[in-house]
Each structure stands twice: as C-alpha cells, then as structure tokens.
Amino acid sequence: MFKLPELPYRNDELKPHISQETMEFHYGKHHQAYVNNLNNLVKGTEFEAAGLRDIVAKADKGIFNNAAQHWNHSFYWFSMSPEKTDLEGTLKDKITAKWGNQAGF
C-alpha cells in the first residue's frame, strides 16, 4: 500500500509563499487522492507488490498516471523548505554569471 510521505515540515511553515489552506488541500486531499487511486488500481494486477519506480517505468493509463503523480507530488514536497538555503554548484554559477547574484535573478 502506498502512503503519503510524511512532510519534513508542518503544513503552515511555508507561509507566506504557500498557505496552510493550500497545503491542506494540495497535500492532504489532492495528493492523497492520487495515492488512494493508485492503491485501488493496482489491486489484483502485476503492480500490486511493485515499487513506485517500477510502476512508473512499466505501467500505462490510469495506473501510470496516478503513480507518476504520486512520485511528482512527493518530489515537489521535498524540494521545498521553510528555511532559506543558499544555492550551490552549477545552478549558482549560472545564475551568478547571467544576473550577477541570486537577488538579481
């Protein structure tokens, strides 16, 4: 059974960029719907015991869509943080080269 990933922050910690209400809807209802649909769709199929990566790589139609959306949303949640972080590496170098600094970007 697939589950929503536990967020590494509270659903009110991304304010003012993302509201608690938006998080409750997008994470708690929208993403949860993809998880519920995926769990229902894989029952009795070759994907019932498969991992998410295998399903995305091998499935099609509804199973693929719900698995891919679950993966996509999970990636999205873990791409954000309530703490300000500095850019590093190639991305920082390219932004600095084009705009002078992160603030200019």
Side-chain angles (χ1 to χ4, degrees), residues 83-99:
E83 298 174 18
K84 185 175 181 176
T85 57
D86 290 325
L87 294 176
E88 297 177 357
T90 304
L91 179 59
K92 181 180 180 179
D93 295 342
K94 291 198 181 273
I95 288 173
T96 301
K98 185 158 186 164
W99 288 282

Side-chain angles (χ1 to χ4, degrees), residues 57-99:
K58 298 175 184 171
D60 62 4
K61 300 181 182 172
I63 293 175
F64 167 79
N65 181 59
N66 285 277
Q69 289 295 343
H70 177 33
W71 186 94
N72 180 51
H73 281 75
S74 298
F75 178 80
Y76 174 72
W77 304 127
F78 286 91
S79 297
M80 298 183 288
S81 171
E83 298 174 18
K84 185 175 181 176
T85 57
D86 290 325
L87 294 176
E88 297 177 357
T90 304
L91 179 59
K92 181 180 180 179
D93 295 342
K94 291 198 181 273
I95 288 173
T96 301
K98 185 158 186 164
W99 288 282

Side-chain angles (χ1 to χ4, degrees), residues 9-52:
Y9 43 80
R10 292 187 324 268
N11 64 3
D12 65 344
E13 286 189 288
L14 298 177
K15 291 189 287 187
H17 308 290
I18 300 177
S19 71
Q20 181 174 350
E21 180 181 34
T22 298
M23 287 295 295
E24 288 169 352
F25 179 79
H26 198 168
Y27 171 76
K29 293 182 181 175
H30 179 71
H31 186 175
Q32 183 66 62
Y34 286 122
V35 173
N36 293 344
N37 290 339
L38 178 60
N39 284 327
N40 289 328
L41 288 167
V42 298
K43 286 179 187 170
T45 72
E46 65 184 288
F47 300 110
E48 189 166 18
L52 195 55

